[in-house]
Amino acid sequence: MRQEPVIAIKHLNHYYGKGALKKQILFDINLEVYPGEIVIMTGPSGSGKTTLLSLIGGLRSAQEGSLKFLGIEMLGASQNKLVQIRRNIGYIFQAHNLLGFLSATQNVQMAVELNNDITANQAIAKSQAMLGAVGLQDKVTYYPESLSGGQKQRIAIARALVNSPPLVLADEPTAALDKQSGRDVVEIMQGLAKEQGTSILLVTHDNRILDIADRIVEMEDGLLTRDSQSVIIGEQP
């Protein structure tokens, strides 16, 4: 029997603006993401990918249709409920969004300390173990300014995955990286996700990383135009 989806979206529409300026951005989106599945979303700039990601992540409120995270309906959810949902989702952005005045350990530790049941020493140990898992065991005391782009993005991955969330959302995580660093970063994400059973929904323009996907979905003009298994990846240029 198939597991329940982590994300279940049905007939989702989204609009920007009001009155005469109201414009529809997403049109009748239907999508399910299952535990441990890596789904890559592609499509041209302005097609609605980041808007959809922000709705799934509870960073914006859903307006029409149904959007469920672990069976919880996010449409009409209170801000308090959305905050609770966000604590169960890891986020990785194109800009690593690290705090420059905090060390690698402290940047990851911030995410761990969202859990009130953990002591400071446990949080440090857990953060450093996760930095070790992304290959930064010798950089735990370093500050972002002394690290490369790829190393900073590894810290961001450690921060996103340290609490073993059921879902990680990644928006162009390799865009600022060279080919090898980008490859390393997504392979780390892939390995840790499969180990933890974490689902990943990753938005990218980077055709070089499509092979890590279990499925590829394509957006164009606010519509999901393609949803395919990774066996079709060989057709990509």
Side-chain angles (χ1 to χ4, degrees), residues 77-85:
S78 67
Q79 282 304 310
N80 280 345
K81 176 63 77 177
L82 290 178
V83 168
Q84 291 302 316
I85 286 169

Side-chain angles (χ1 to χ4, degrees), residues 8 17-18 25 29 62 65 94 181 196 226:
K18 291 182 178 178
I25 303 295
I29 302 294
Q94 177 178 341
S181 297
Q196 297 184 358
R226 178 175 178 236

Side-chain angles (χ1 to χ4, degrees), residues 34 46 63 80 87 110 156 161 181 192 198 218 220-221 234:
Y34 287 88
Q63 295 170 342
N80 280 345
R87 288 184 172 180
M110 285 177 63
L161 284 162
S181 297
L192 290 172
T198 295
E218 206 166 289
E220 196 164 340
D221 297 329

